[in-house]
Amino acid sequence: MKTPLRHLIHALGLVGLFTLNAQAAEPAKPETIRIAVPDLSAGSKHSAGGVVDVLRDQQLLEKEFAKDGIRIDWHFFKGAGPVINEALANGQADFAYLGDLAAIVGKANGLDTRVLTAGVRGVKSYLGVVPGSGIKTLHDLKGKRVAVFRGTANQLSFASALASQGLSERDLKVINLDFNAANAAIAARQIDATWGLSSLLSLRERGLVELPVSSRDLQGAGSTQAVLLGTGEFIGKYPELVQRLVNAQERAARWLRDEHNRDAYVDLVASNANWPRSILADDLAQEDLAHYFDPRLDAGFVAQLQQGVDLAAKERLIRRSFQVADWIDTRFLDAALQQEQAVQAAR
């Protein structure tokens, strides 16, 4: 029996209605994906090291989203964590690569973020002191003028190092300086010491500082971690885009974890950041890259983050502690790793 024409028109109308409803339920894709990153470069190019420099060099995100007409906007901030938290709070960034303390402070202050992946783990920090000062241990810093970059992972790192020796910032005269200002101040002997990163190695080469202690000497106390954050709003609106971004990042992380690429990575960062190649190579010499750049939010990494949260609360860097387990969102990385395993198994 033939379907009456009016029934057919009614059915087609319902199909059209369902289609319109489905389209309305799916938000339009954004024109840009905005990523905030601390700028660690000492030159005219931008650099954050690690997975960020690889992503940008290989144009992995740009290639992934080109077919959608979505532009990747990288925003580099010299002010590091505090300025990036402002950008997140003002709705000016969708993702951010951040050190642990800045990410923790933002979350504790009410920023709606999720930890999507680890960025890097166990980054060494160094105590730089004026040559001939007689400072050999952290205990020798009592009453001394020490530069620390407050509000960043550097401050939490230093608090962790001090706590491992039964000390706190209250035992010292802490001065808030960013890395470049701190390096200039110690080279000019305007301060007694500074707690910093691998850029201090270049000052040591020039005889401007001594490096009596590193986080490696403290069994890892004072090392720093970094994470990839996504905003709750973007994740809620565009989970498929988040998955594709994390998939692309995993390709960069896989390249980084390959020991065959160690020299190429050092060359890349040395070029971008305008740092001496020897300094970067020296800083990474004892690192297992497969562990160093492991993106997994495994129990060890989560425990390290939780220790950071609890220490930040104890040192009154945040008002109260919170549970990292409620902050992380592993589903995108889990899917990316499963996809990678499937590809490897098919080869």
Side-chain angles (χ1 to χ4, degrees):
M1 188 173 84
K2 293 183 180 180
T3 303
L5 180 60
R6 59 188 178 85
H7 288 172
L8 180 59
I9 292 173
H10 178 67
L12 289 174
L14 287 176
V15 170
L17 179 62
F18 291 147
T19 302
L20 286 173
N21 285 338
Q23 289 173 346
E26 181 180 340
K29 290 179 179 177
E31 294 181 2
T32 62
I33 295 176
R34 303 162 301 170
I35 307 174
V37 189
D39 195 348
L40 304 180
S41 174
S44 58
K45 293 182 182 179
H46 296 304
S47 176
V51 72
V52 169
D53 282 20
V54 176
L55 282 170
R56 296 183 71 233
D57 181 64
Q58 299 182 11
Q59 295 283 289
L60 293 175
L61 296 183
E62 288 78 2
K63 292 173 183 175
E64 173 62 35
F65 293 105
K67 57 192 172 191
D68 305 281
I70 299 174
R71 187 174 70 253
I72 303 298
D73 282 351
W74 294 96
H75 298 280
F76 284 82
F77 294 87
K78 286 293 186 185
V83 182
I84 290 176
N85 277 337
E86 285 185 24
L88 289 168
N90 294 330
Q92 297 170 336
D94 307 306
F95 297 90
Y97 287 90
L98 270 181
D100 43 18
L101 179 61
I104 288 167
V105 168
K107 178 64 175 177
N109 286 340
L111 288 183
D112 182 17
T113 60
R114 305 287 186 277
V115 176
L116 298 176
T117 75
V120 65
R121 60 185 76 204
V123 177
K124 287 196 297 296
S125 296
Y126 301 86
L127 177 66
V129 304
V130 171
S133 65
I135 298 173
K136 302 297 182 185
T137 70
L138 293 180
H139 285 279
D140 295 330
L141 294 176
K142 288 184 177 181
K144 303 294 187 182
R145 297 164 300 169
V146 184
V148 176
F149 196 175
R150 289 190 180 279
T152 72
N154 180 243
Q155 184 179 10
L156 186 62
S157 161
F158 190 49
S160 173
L162 291 174
S164 75
Q165 305 300 302
L167 301 167
S168 76
E169 283 191 12
R170 291 180 287 277
D171 297 308
L172 324 172
K173 296 177 181 176
V174 174
I175 301 168
N176 181 26
L177 295 175
D178 66 30
F179 294 124
N180 290 334
N183 289 351
I186 197 167
R189 296 176 174 258
Q190 295 171 340
I191 55 176
D192 299 302
T194 185
W195 183 255
L197 299 172
S198 57
S199 58
L200 287 171
L201 295 171
S202 63
L203 295 185
R204 183 182 64 178
E205 279 196 350
R206 293 154 55 192
L208 296 174
V209 299
E210 295 173 352
L211 304 179
V213 179
S214 77
S215 55
R216 183 177 286 275
D217 301 321
L218 304 174
Q219 287 71 54
S223 64
T224 61
Q225 291 40 253
V227 296
L228 168 64
L229 296 178
T231 64
E233 180 181 5
F234 193 95
I235 293 169
K237 279 186 178 179
Y238 310 111
E240 184 259 341
L241 299 184
V242 177
Q243 186 63 66
R244 288 166 58 189
L245 184 145
V246 173
N247 290 350
Q249 182 193 272
E250 172 52 25
R251 292 195 292 275
R254 185 168 67 248
W255 185 92
L256 276 169
R257 299 196 303 272
D258 187 341
E259 278 291 340
H260 293 97
N261 296 325
R262 178 183 288 265
D263 287 343
Y265 170 67
V266 170
D267 289 339
L268 172 64
V269 178
S271 172
N272 285 350
N274 196 30
W275 289 355
R277 188 189 188 284
S278 60
I279 300 303
L280 292 164
D282 187 16
D283 187 51
L284 287 173
Q286 300 180 61
E287 302 297 345
D288 174 7
L289 298 185
H291 174 74
Y292 197 66
F293 292 117
D294 187 345
R296 293 177 300 164
L297 297 170
D298 53 42
F301 188 85
V302 171
Q304 192 76 22
L305 271 185
Q306 187 65 58
Q307 288 176 19
V309 172
D310 296 341
L311 179 60
K314 180 181 177 182
E315 294 295 321
R316 300 179 182 177
L317 305 178
I318 57 175
R319 292 183 179 179
R320 64 179 182 273
S321 183
F322 60 87
Q323 293 302 306
V324 170
D326 300 329
W327 187 24
I328 62 174
D329 188 342
T330 63
R331 55 188 164 143
F332 301 105
L333 181 59
D334 288 344
L337 293 173
Q338 289 172 5
Q339 178 180 318
E340 179 188 343
Q341 290 172 356
V343 169
Q344 295 298 326
R347 288 180 177 175

